[in-house]
Amino acid sequence: MEKIEFTDEYFMKQALTEAKKAFDADEVPIGAVIVCDKKIIARAHNLTERLCDGTAHAEMQAFTSASEYLGGKYLEECTLFVTLEPCMMCAGAAAWVRVGKVVYGAADNKHGCSGAKAKVFHTKTKVKKGVLADQCVEILKTYFKNKRIDNV
């Protein structure tokens, strides 16, 4: 039996699986997983269309699920893996839940939090950028390309 290596790339692939679910549901394909002690405790993808809620981002759904799983509001021992750089709202939520680490794939130069003048994550939160970025960008490009074709 093959041993699974629980690397950042492994968990980002799991987030990409969630992004594919969003893609298939005609949602913007962003996926997230939250990991604690090398175990996925929450999986989520964008639900903004299905729930008719602009705040139903993958990260927000994952934070709620992980907090419920752990029975507490703080996620200090957890890592969020998300396919797109968190927006300001999701980065703020990450600060409030005190997530220990954020790992994201694709940068978001338009809506991402890294361009903020103020520090948006909790002071103890570690951040890693660019994990499987090409794959994370590709699913987004395909989704929006299809949207443009559908609207012609």
Side-chain angles (χ1 to χ4, degrees):
M1 189 157 121
E2 184 180 333
K3 185 178 179 189
I4 297 172
E5 283 195 53
F6 296 111
T7 62
D8 288 348
E9 290 76 13
Y10 172 83
F11 290 117
M12 188 60 72
K13 285 179 184 175
Q14 300 302 307
L16 279 161
T17 297
E18 288 298 314
K20 177 73 168 102
K21 290 178 187 176
F23 184 95
D24 292 343
D26 202 25
E27 296 271 1
V28 175
I30 299 168
V33 297
I34 295 182
V35 175
C36 187
D37 294 326
K38 297 183 182 180
K39 178 182 179 187
I40 296 173
I41 63 168
R43 295 176 177 273
H45 56 273
N46 270 7
L47 294 173
T48 58
E49 298 300 325
R50 182 181 311 161
L51 298 180
C52 198
D53 179 356
T55 67
H57 292 190
E59 300 96 312
M60 302 298 276
Q61 304 302 308
F63 292 146
T64 299
S65 182
S67 293
E68 184 176 303
Y69 178 88
L70 293 174
K73 63 183 177 179
Y74 297 126
L75 306 176
E76 295 163 315
E77 302 300 318
C78 299
T79 300
L80 166 69
F81 291 86
V82 62
T83 57
L84 184 66
E85 176 184 348
C87 69
M88 291 296 292
M89 173 185 71
C90 293
W96 284 110
V97 301
R98 299 183 189 173
V99 71
K101 185 176 180 182
V102 174
V103 178
Y104 66 84
D108 184 348
N109 297 326
K110 190 172 184 182
H111 299 291
C113 65
S114 65
K117 292 180 182 170
K119 181 154 177 64
V120 290
F121 292 114
H122 190 273
T123 55
K124 294 182 181 177
T125 299
K126 296 176 179 80
V127 179
K128 184 175 179 180
K129 309 171 184 181
V131 175
L132 300 182
D134 291 343
Q135 292 175 45
C136 295
V137 167
E138 189 58 38
I139 193 170
L140 287 162
K141 282 185 177 180
T142 301
Y143 174 81
F144 286 111
K145 180 181 174 189
N146 291 346
K147 284 292 179 191
R148 285 190 297 276
I149 291 169
D150 291 345
N151 290 327
V152 175

